[in-house]
Amino acid sequence: MPAGPDFSVLPWPGVESQAELSGDEGGTLLPTGALLGGVLLICVAVLRRWIGGGVCRSGQRQDGKTVLVTGANTGIGKETCRELARRGARVVMACRDLSRAERAAEDIRRSTGNGNVVIRHLDLASLYSVRHFAKDFLDSEDRLDVLINNAGVMMCPKWLTEDGFETQFAVNHLSHFLLTNLLLPKLKSSAPSRVITVSSMAHRGGRIDFSDLFFSRRPYSPLQSYQQSKLANVLFSRELARRLRGSGVSSFCVHPGVIRTELGRHVEGWFPLLGALLRLPAMLLMKTPRQGSQTTLYCAVTPGLEDQSGNYFSDCAVKEAAPEGRDDETADRLWRESARLVGIKETC
């Protein structure tokens, strides 16, 4: 078969090169793109640093101290445990799923070189489990320097615990209320000691409905229930500080930030398409678990915070809680009602 004719591509009349055809005179397009890419990366880095928020700068060691963290096998709980173990503390991880807890504990032991990290079973959806855990802790541990009420659920369906309580209010508030009160003898004997309760900026707009705490009569709203439970955290921490004044036990409440953790799994369950669409932006605009643990760590290890007992912290600084979270009359009433519900005396 004869060879086909040879073709050559000639420039368009009046245009000397492809660079000129594309308008890239002098080959500037590539350097300009690289410059814009570099600027974009710098902007993203600055944005990520800003979103990361405050950082705990204290280098205070925790050797000889015992720290208890609930919800410790994942997210900010795990990162809090990791940092406290790195500082030399004995870390007790209170978790519902022991197999996942042991994997998390082993990872922390390996990464920090601290073998004094132990796990214990605690199901915050059961007051019986809380009482059993507290008794075992009091019988076996010599001291308790820091109690971190970290575990929580967010915007789950309307579930009831074995005690008949709505799950968000029970897990986020009532069980931590009972746990803290049962462990007070150890906290007092270890003073100066601290109680840190993880709340959320979602307490803003929340309301404690004493006539229907568990949504028995009104329509259940996952968001309103979550807001109520987080407001209860703020009020509990404030009232605890008031009742423990002069005891050597301090109480702090923290907002960790908006964080990429498993806590939001129920939100994606309610709105799966929205969750899928927002997953990539969320990775850019949310804190990492390590960043989210910084305010908890700040309140746990920073010296001289005793005079800030009862305050609300965010980004490693005191912030003003919502007006609903500064209502001392509601805080006292919530304490008395919570004590009645879990079956303990209301005084510290």
Side-chain angles (χ1 to χ4, degrees):
M1 180 179 293
D6 292 333
F7 291 96
S8 61
V9 179
L10 299 176
W12 194 265
V15 179
E16 296 183 357
S17 68
Q18 186 64 29
E20 186 177 344
L21 178 65
S22 64
D24 186 21
E25 297 183 4
T28 60
L29 183 59
L30 186 60
T32 300
L35 177 62
L36 290 174
V39 171
L40 178 62
L41 288 175
I42 292 173
C43 290
V44 169
V46 171
L47 175 64
R48 288 295 306 146
R49 184 167 183 176
W50 178 76
I51 288 171
V55 176
C56 177
R57 303 292 183 186
S58 172
Q60 194 81 5
R61 296 282 301 175
Q62 300 294 296
D63 302 281
K65 294 188 176 183
T66 297
V67 180
L68 168 60
V69 184
T70 67
N73 64 288
T74 189
I76 63 174
K78 180 181 177 182
E79 294 308 312
T80 300
C81 290
R82 191 192 306 278
E83 181 57 31
L84 291 169
R86 184 175 287 119
R87 293 168 183 255
R90 171 175 170 80
V91 178
V92 180
M93 302 172 64
C95 306
R96 182 174 58 87
D97 187 332
L98 289 181
S99 60
R100 293 184 66 190
E102 182 51 44
R103 289 195 295 271
E106 183 53 36
D107 176 45
I108 292 170
R109 295 181 198 115
R110 184 172 57 251
S111 64
T112 64
N114 183 346
N116 203 4
V117 177
V118 299
I119 62 170
R120 297 203 177 173
H121 180 260
L122 173 62
D123 182 358
L124 291 168
S126 165
L127 295 184
Y128 172 83
S129 178
V130 174
R131 292 181 184 278
H132 180 78
F133 174 92
K135 182 179 184 306
D136 182 60
F137 189 96
L138 292 172
D139 290 343
S140 60
E141 296 291 336
D142 294 329
R143 58 188 303 110
L144 177 56
D145 298 275
V146 183
L147 167 61
I148 301 177
N149 293 320
N150 168 80
V153 291
M154 182 173 77
M155 291 180 65
C156 63
K158 188 180 180 181
W159 295 331
L160 298 182
T161 68
E162 66 180 42
D163 304 288
F165 302 143
E166 186 274 319
T167 295
Q168 292 195 85
F169 193 75
V171 170
N172 295 351
H173 168 62
L174 285 178
S175 287
H176 282 128
F177 173 87
L178 176 60
L179 178 67
T180 303
N181 275 277
L182 294 177
L183 294 179
L184 277 177
K186 194 69 71 176
L187 285 160
K188 289 178 178 179
S189 66
S190 306
S193 55
R194 299 180 179 185
V195 178
I196 300 159
T197 301
V198 177
S199 181
S200 167
M201 67 183 297
H203 81 277
R204 298 180 183 278
R207 183 174 70 92
I208 306 297
D209 188 341
F210 289 103
S211 66
D212 191 16
L213 288 171
F214 306 127
F215 290 83
S216 302
R217 293 185 290 275
R218 53 184 165 145
Y220 177 71
S221 164
L223 176 58
Q224 289 178 14
S225 174
Y226 183 67
Q227 289 177 307
Q228 177 179 247
S229 71
K230 294 289 101 179
L231 175 57
N233 290 152
V234 177
L235 293 169
F236 161 63
S237 183
R238 184 180 181 89
E239 181 67 8
L240 181 66
R242 186 186 71 80
R243 292 178 178 242
L244 290 176
R245 194 172 293 126
S247 69
V249 183
S250 303
S251 172
F252 309 104
C253 192
V254 306
H255 165 56
V258 182
I259 307 162
R260 299 196 304 269
T261 72
E262 295 179 5
L263 191 62
R265 61 188 178 275
H266 296 299
V267 179
E268 291 194 7
W270 290 108
F271 310 103
L273 179 59
L274 180 62
L277 291 173
L278 295 180
R279 195 166 292 131
L280 186 59
M283 292 181 66
L284 177 65
L285 299 175
M286 291 182 178
K287 290 184 179 183
T288 65
R290 184 176 181 277
Q291 291 169 333
S293 69
Q294 294 302 301
T295 304
T296 300
L297 289 169
Y298 176 86
C299 291
V301 305
T302 303
L305 288 186
E306 289 75 16
D307 61 346
Q308 300 293 337
S309 184
N311 280 335
Y312 173 81
F313 287 75
S314 178
D315 283 328
C316 301
V318 174
K319 300 292 173 65
E320 188 170 74
E324 298 90 344
R326 291 179 275 121
D327 186 333
D328 290 331
E329 183 177 341
T330 301
D332 176 68
R333 184 180 177 186
L334 176 65
W335 184 284
R336 289 184 283 110
E337 180 62 12
S338 300
R340 185 188 69 81
L341 288 168
V342 302
I344 63 171
K345 294 181 180 180
E346 65 178 71
T347 58
C348 288

